[in-house]
Amino acid sequence: IVAIILAYLEKTGNRRNFQRVWIGVGAAVALSVLAGIALWVTIGGLPEPAEQIFEAVAMIAAAGVVTWMLFWMRRVAANMRGELEAKVDRSLTEGAAWGLSLLAFTAVIREGIETSLFLMAQASAASSAEAGAVAVLTGALVGLLIAVAIGFGFYRGARVLNLRTFFRWTGVALIFIAAGLLSHAVHELVEIGVITFGTDTAFDISGILPHEGEGFLALIGSLLRALFGYTSTPEWITFLTWLAYIVIVLPLYLRPVKPAEATARPAEQTAARA
């Protein structure tokens, strides 16, 4: 989003307003980091079983946020550039250039808060495995670097990467991550006795790929646990929750986008370009 705003300002000869955009971005990033720290401190200071309940709620919320984000991006991706450019035009023509700061802030803060919640939930799910927690942090840093690279390429006008295909398949990966968060939340509720049905072990493949322990396979299992909520000994309710989410959400996400949905242009965009 920031790359689209900057590229449009460059294109229209308004590079002098870059600073206002970066002020909004910086404020949003700082607030997102503070929100993440506050969430982590809060969850770490709770007694049991309040901590497990908070973790479960956070995981469910994170799964919901990821799911909403996927379908929102699927719906607006085709029109996002035009809508943002229309908002930039409005800020410039109305003499409210500082509105660019607000535009950048609102775009980044939403994603930043969602990311803080998501990473906190992932870290909580992996807190029992040191390697898993490290994997969450490593994955977050790698993802940030990739996002920066894509944003820079987008700003420079690069067309090597098919963004539609890229976001489609990263969306599929996020669906499996969200399913893992949801199933791990159910597991937490089983452990503290909130859920008392379907708690028998569905299967045990710890001899093939354990999710904890020592050795290379255990390391792979712990990484999968951190990223996708994998467990080698799931309860029936946990496994069925994971399966139900995948069976329902994945086909809905992969269904073809309606032409009208992909090509519609908002009235305000048309007016801004008139």
Side-chain angles (χ1 to χ4, degrees), residues 32-137:
S32 299
V33 171
L34 290 175
I37 293 174
L39 284 171
W40 187 254
V41 171
T42 299
I43 196 172
L46 293 174
E48 296 184 357
E51 181 178 349
Q52 286 86 346
I53 294 175
F54 189 90
E55 288 179 354
V57 171
M59 291 176 197
I60 293 171
V65 166
V66 169
T67 305
W68 172 83
M69 179 186 68
L70 287 171
F71 285 96
W72 177 79
M73 283 296 298
R74 180 181 182 274
R75 178 173 57 85
V76 306
N79 302 327
M80 182 178 294
R81 178 197 290 269
E83 292 179 0
L84 286 172
E85 290 179 356
K87 291 178 180 178
V88 171
D89 282 337
R90 188 163 58 248
S91 295
L92 294 174
T93 56
E94 293 177 357
W98 281 104
L100 295 173
S101 296
L102 181 61
L103 177 60
F105 176 84
T106 54
V108 175
I109 191 63
R110 179 180 59 199
E111 306 300 331
I113 297 297
E114 290 173 359
T115 301
S116 296
L117 179 61
F118 173 73
L119 290 178
M120 191 275 294
Q122 285 288 80
S124 297
S127 60
S128 59
E130 182 178 350
V134 172
V136 172
L137 178 59

Side-chain angles (χ1 to χ4, degrees), residues 21-249:
V21 174
W22 287 119
I23 288 174
V25 171
V29 170
L31 187 58
S32 299
V33 171
L34 290 175
I37 293 174
L39 284 171
W40 187 254
V41 171
T42 299
I43 196 172
L46 293 174
E48 296 184 357
E51 181 178 349
Q52 286 86 346
I53 294 175
F54 189 90
E55 288 179 354
V57 171
M59 291 176 197
I60 293 171
V65 166
V66 169
T67 305
W68 172 83
M69 179 186 68
L70 287 171
F71 285 96
W72 177 79
M73 283 296 298
R74 180 181 182 274
R75 178 173 57 85
V76 306
N79 302 327
M80 182 178 294
R81 178 197 290 269
E83 292 179 0
L84 286 172
E85 290 179 356
K87 291 178 180 178
V88 171
D89 282 337
R90 188 163 58 248
S91 295
L92 294 174
T93 56
E94 293 177 357
W98 281 104
L100 295 173
S101 296
L102 181 61
L103 177 60
F105 176 84
T106 54
V108 175
I109 191 63
R110 179 180 59 199
E111 306 300 331
I113 297 297
E114 290 173 359
T115 301
S116 296
L117 179 61
F118 173 73
L119 290 178
M120 191 275 294
Q122 285 288 80
S124 297
S127 60
S128 59
E130 182 178 350
V134 172
V136 172
L137 178 59
T138 302
L141 293 176
V142 171
L144 178 61
L145 292 176
I146 292 174
V148 170
I150 292 174
F152 181 76
F154 200 83
Y155 167 71
R156 300 298 298 178
R159 293 294 182 268
V160 177
L161 178 64
N162 186 319
L163 290 179
R164 183 181 296 274
T165 301
F166 174 80
F167 286 120
R168 180 180 179 85
W169 292 110
T170 52
V172 171
L174 284 172
I175 287 174
F176 281 90
I177 290 174
L181 285 172
L182 195 59
S183 63
H184 196 89
V186 172
H187 171 73
E188 289 287 330
L189 296 176
V190 168
E191 281 198 331
I192 60 176
V194 173
I195 296 178
T196 58
F197 57 91
T199 58
D200 293 334
T201 301
F203 51 81
D204 185 349
I205 57 173
S206 55
I208 301 174
L209 186 62
H211 64 261
E212 59 184 357
E214 299 181 356
F216 178 74
L217 290 178
L219 175 61
I220 297 298
S222 65
L223 294 178
L224 291 175
R225 182 176 180 81
L227 296 175
F228 300 107
Y230 167 77
T231 174
S232 56
T233 56
E235 302 92 356
W236 274 110
I237 186 64
T238 301
F239 174 68
L240 291 177
T241 298
W242 179 89
L243 185 62
Y245 181 90
I246 296 296
V247 169
I248 294 172
V249 175

